[in-house]
Amino acid sequence: MSDERADSPAVTYGGYLQVDELLNLQKPRSEGPEHDEMLFIIIHQVYELWFKQLLHEFDRAVALLQQNDVVRAQHTLKRILTILKVLVAQLDILETMTPLEFLSFRSRLEAASGFQSDQFRQLEFLLGQKSRHAIERFGEGTRARTALERRWHELTLWDAFLHYLSREGYPVPEAHLHRDRTTPIQASAEIQQILTDVYRKDSRNSELCERFVDLDEGIQEWRYRHVKMVERTIGMKRGTGGSTGAQYLQATVGRPAFPDLWEIRGTL
Ligand code: HEM
């Protein structure tokens, strides 16, 4: 053992994971406090941790695509998809909370809402669903604003994929390779033609495309399950974040991140 290790205290489970700090982060606001508020806090905190891990993995997936390492990029996407399944499944736990149990502390949330999750917005940005409005909700110099500003300018996963396809020899038009990354990904007949060729002739890259479809479907599945949970818990009431609630959320459900991959399926 080196001298340095002999001097420092032994690593423990609690120390390494900062368990004391972690267990001190749940601060119910209701009187009592209401029993279900603990579940509500913990589930949101767990989501935020998984969002952090997803962002970490997405950054890796983009970097691997940029290095043309498609095998490891797919492996990373597989992990992302597995986490996404856990995220969807977790909603079952929150659905054990009845409308009255939620109402027992809902007013204490004031204007707080998942709407303000910057990590969720970062995930949307990575998928090409960027919005200035989402950035401007956060004060200058905050962690959230800095992270979103960075991702505003960064490549989206789709852009990294198009660049990769171009390096693989597919004729991706320059306009797509150098498109304004801050704008939404629009369906394109030229890209659809390329993807059709990939599906017909290139099994390795068509498998990669399938993982993108899994991802898009997984996000839509989360959105669908979240809105159903919202409907069964608060009906058509407005959200604490100020939106029309379920009505607003329903409009986000069928919006694909990668429209071209859906468009081609009817003609393959
Ligand atoms: C009883 C449980 C929940 C209710 C009633 C609920 C309700 C809502 C409502 C009404 C909105 C629309 C924005 C607003 O006006 O507030 C919203 C947005 C959102 N919620 Fe929840 N939510 C719940 C649980 C969760 C959980 C566990 C998460 C996990 C992080 C979450 C994440 C989000 C996100 C990311 C948005 C923004 C979605 C978007 O803008 O597309 N929510 N929620």
Side-chain angles (χ1 to χ4, degrees):
M1 191 188 286
S2 72
D3 288 350
E4 197 187 314
R5 281 181 76 185
D7 290 346
S8 54
V11 176
T12 63
Y13 177 86
Y16 179 60
L17 298 173
Q18 303 202 46
V19 175
D20 287 349
E21 290 82 350
L22 192 61
L23 298 182
N24 203 25
L25 293 175
Q26 296 70 43
K27 312 265 196 249
R29 302 192 78 239
S30 58
E31 296 301 321
E34 291 293 342
H35 180 82
D36 283 48
E37 194 178 355
M38 182 65 88
L39 172 67
F40 191 78
I41 293 172
I42 287 183
I43 203 142
H44 280 84
Q45 289 182 337
V46 170
Y47 267 105
E48 287 297 330
L49 286 175
W50 279 128
F51 290 162
K52 181 172 183 173
Q53 184 67 28
L54 280 179
L55 291 165
H56 188 56
E57 300 294 348
F58 270 120
D59 285 339
R60 187 177 180 82
V62 169
L64 289 167
L65 278 177
Q66 286 176 315
Q67 294 157 24
N68 297 337
D69 191 343
V70 73
V71 172
R72 288 206 296 157
Q74 283 221 49
H75 177 72
T76 304
L77 282 171
K78 173 106 192 316
R79 180 177 293 169
I80 288 172
L81 293 166
T82 312
I83 296 172
L84 205 48
K85 287 213 177 302
V86 171
L87 291 193
V88 173
Q90 262 180 203
L91 289 172
D92 289 347
I93 309 173
L94 207 47
E95 283 187 344
T96 63
M97 182 175 72
T98 67
L100 287 179
E101 283 165 343
F102 184 46
L103 277 179
S104 72
F105 62 90
R106 187 181 189 224
S107 64
R108 307 303 305 266
L109 304 178
E110 299 178 7
S113 162
F115 210 40
Q116 298 150 356
S117 166
D118 73 278
Q119 292 203 106
F120 184 80
R121 298 296 170 216
Q122 288 189 55
L123 288 167
E124 288 188 321
F125 279 25
L126 261 162
L127 295 171
Q129 298 170 331
K130 299 188 186 184
S131 126
R132 259 334 282 178
H133 190 58
I135 299 182
E136 280 148 17
R137 267 193 218 111
F138 300 97
E140 294 282 354
T142 57
R143 176 202 52 77
R145 177 110 180 202
T146 309
L148 283 166
E149 288 284 7
R150 177 169 60 79
R151 294 201 186 275
W152 176 255
H153 298 287
E154 271 179 6
L155 274 191
T156 72
L157 186 63
W158 187 250
D159 292 310
F161 175 60
L162 292 185
H163 280 268
Y164 163 75
L165 282 183
S166 165
R167 289 192 302 275
E168 283 283 280
Y170 288 97
V172 179
E174 284 294 312
H176 285 270
L177 293 176
H178 299 113
R179 74 174 197 98
D180 178 356
R181 297 165 186 175
T182 65
T183 58
I185 297 159
Q186 305 286 354
S188 146
E190 289 155 309
I191 301 295
Q192 286 163 30
Q193 185 53 56
I194 291 171
L195 293 172
T196 303
D197 287 348
V198 170
Y199 267 83
R200 292 199 175 135
K201 298 179 201 144
D202 181 348
S203 57
R204 191 171 63 112
N205 286 319
S206 71
E207 273 304 298
L208 182 59
C209 292
E210 285 296 277
R211 298 296 78 74
F212 276 68
V213 177
D214 290 341
L215 175 62
D216 207 346
E217 195 176 343
I219 301 279
Q220 289 182 51
E221 196 184 346
W222 185 85
R223 289 190 192 274
Y224 172 78
R225 285 293 315 275
H226 173 260
V227 70
K228 284 293 153 196
M229 182 189 64
V230 171
E231 281 176 31
R232 67 185 279 171
T233 312
I234 61 167
M236 298 309 283
K237 286 183 196 161
R238 293 188 75 82
T240 47
S243 81
T244 53
Q247 197 191 348
Y248 154 75
L249 293 166
Q250 276 158 2
T252 68
V253 173
R255 211 171 40 139
F258 312 127
D260 291 324
L261 282 171
W262 295 94
E263 286 291 332
I264 59 168
R265 310 189 89 77
T267 52
L268 280 175

